[in-house]
Amino acid sequence: MNKNKKDVGATIKQIRKERGLSQDALSKKMGFKDHTALTKIETGINDVNSETLMELARLLEVNVGLFFTGKTSELPEFKVKQYNDHYRDDMIFMVLSAKDALKKVPSINPDLLDIKTNYFDKGDMFWIALDENNRVIGSIGYETIKPKEARIHRLYIKPELKRQGIGSALLNTLTNYVKEKGYNKLSIHTGDERYYESKLFYKAKGFLETEPNILEKNI
């Protein structure tokens, strides 16, 4: 078995896991009928053409060259976990930093001051992303606004760590969770023009703008 294929496959597998994607989830995004083809790629059994590699790189939000260098240490190591109040102040600091980077006067959203009351007690959920030092580098939550519809709230990423898969991992965690609970639609209010990157992010994930600054996706 060709060592290079094995190395490329192992790198793809590692990045996929860092992004919080199962084999089934990534296979579906790739348009594979099941996870068999991806398993063969990740184990180095199958050759991978350039078009497939480019699509994998797009979905995993990395430069395709990373598959060949294997320098996954260049990507931030992080984990996604359910929020608890131990991380409250650090999360607020992260959110204020994210808003400051948008040239917006930093202010804290009132719901973030009491996650338990505003999310958990209502049957909704909130997650954070933590780096290797257990510092908060991202957040996301949802509110049930209609039967079977969840409105995404507070997807923030530490400014210097944007476009490194953290937002995708948080969104994937939320999406998988609400799907298991029987929801069939996600929506997001993206805010004004300062949040244009947010709108582009959601559109890349298959969300459609149904009215000004409101994007929706059936799941």
Side-chain angles (χ1 to χ4, degrees), residues 161-208:
L161 295 177
K162 283 185 173 182
R163 293 175 290 278
Q164 298 192 57
I166 301 166
S168 294
L170 286 163
L171 182 59
N172 287 336
T173 297
L174 186 153
T175 302
N176 292 335
Y177 182 86
V178 297
K179 283 177 69 175
E180 289 181 3
K181 288 178 67 71
Y183 290 71
N184 54 34
K185 180 182 285 189
L186 285 174
S187 61
I188 175 70
H189 184 281
T190 56
D192 61 30
E193 65 277 0
R194 288 171 294 186
Y195 292 89
Y196 72 95
E197 282 187 315
S198 176
K199 187 175 292 187
L200 291 175
F201 170 81
Y202 285 106
K203 286 185 175 181
K205 302 299 183 184
F207 285 73
L208 300 175

Side-chain angles (χ1 to χ4, degrees), residues 5-216:
K5 286 193 298 183
K6 288 180 67 176
D7 290 344
V8 170
T11 302
I12 291 170
K13 181 178 180 179
Q14 181 178 343
I15 297 170
R16 171 179 63 76
K17 287 185 172 182
E18 290 174 349
R19 298 302 190 253
L21 288 168
S22 66
Q23 279 195 334
D24 286 335
L26 183 55
S27 295
K28 184 176 181 180
K29 290 176 180 290
M30 287 293 296
F32 298 153
K33 66 177 183 179
D34 56 36
H35 64 76
T36 304
L38 183 58
T39 298
K40 290 181 178 179
I41 291 172
E42 291 185 347
T43 55
I45 295 174
N46 278 5
D47 286 313
V48 191
N49 61 39
S50 58
E51 290 80 7
T52 299
L53 284 174
M54 290 295 291
E55 182 64 6
L56 282 166
R58 185 185 72 81
L59 292 171
L60 294 172
E61 298 183 317
V62 297
N63 186 301
V64 69
L66 186 61
F67 296 153
F68 298 96
T69 64
K71 295 179 180 178
T72 55
S73 60
E74 295 175 359
L75 299 171
E77 293 185 12
F78 66 92
K79 60 184 177 182
V80 176
K81 66 176 289 182
Q82 181 179 321
Y83 169 89
N84 70 63
D85 280 337
H86 172 78
Y87 297 100
R88 177 180 179 274
D89 292 347
D90 199 26
M91 180 188 69
I92 289 173
F93 176 77
M94 182 276 298
V95 171
L96 292 175
S97 299
K99 289 187 175 185
D100 183 59
L102 292 169
K103 309 300 182 184
K104 183 175 182 179
V105 176
S107 62
I108 199 65
N109 308 91
D111 58 295
L112 295 178
L113 297 174
D114 189 348
I115 297 295
K116 179 179 182 297
T117 297
N118 292 300
Y119 290 90
F120 298 154
D121 289 351
K122 295 178 179 179
D124 300 324
M125 189 56 67
F126 202 95
W127 297 267
I128 51 175
L130 300 171
D131 67 12
E132 65 272 21
N133 297 313
N134 212 37
R135 295 294 303 274
V136 178
I137 57 174
S139 66
I140 196 171
Y142 78 85
E143 171 192 14
T144 303
I145 61 170
K146 295 178 182 177
K148 307 302 182 183
E149 180 178 345
R151 172 65 55 85
I152 299 167
H153 287 307
R154 316 308 175 209
L155 176 53
Y156 290 107
I157 306 298
K158 193 173 183 179
E160 60 268 32
L161 295 177
K162 283 185 173 182
R163 293 175 290 278
Q164 298 192 57
I166 301 166
S168 294
L170 286 163
L171 182 59
N172 287 336
T173 297
L174 186 153
T175 302
N176 292 335
Y177 182 86
V178 297
K179 283 177 69 175
E180 289 181 3
K181 288 178 67 71
Y183 290 71
N184 54 34
K185 180 182 285 189
L186 285 174
S187 61
I188 175 70
H189 184 281
T190 56
D192 61 30
E193 65 277 0
R194 288 171 294 186
Y195 292 89
Y196 72 95
E197 282 187 315
S198 176
K199 187 175 292 187
L200 291 175
F201 170 81
Y202 285 106
K203 286 185 175 181
K205 302 299 183 184
F207 285 73
L208 300 175
E209 192 163 11
T210 56
E211 54 184 284
N213 298 324
I214 298 291
L215 284 79
E216 298 181 347

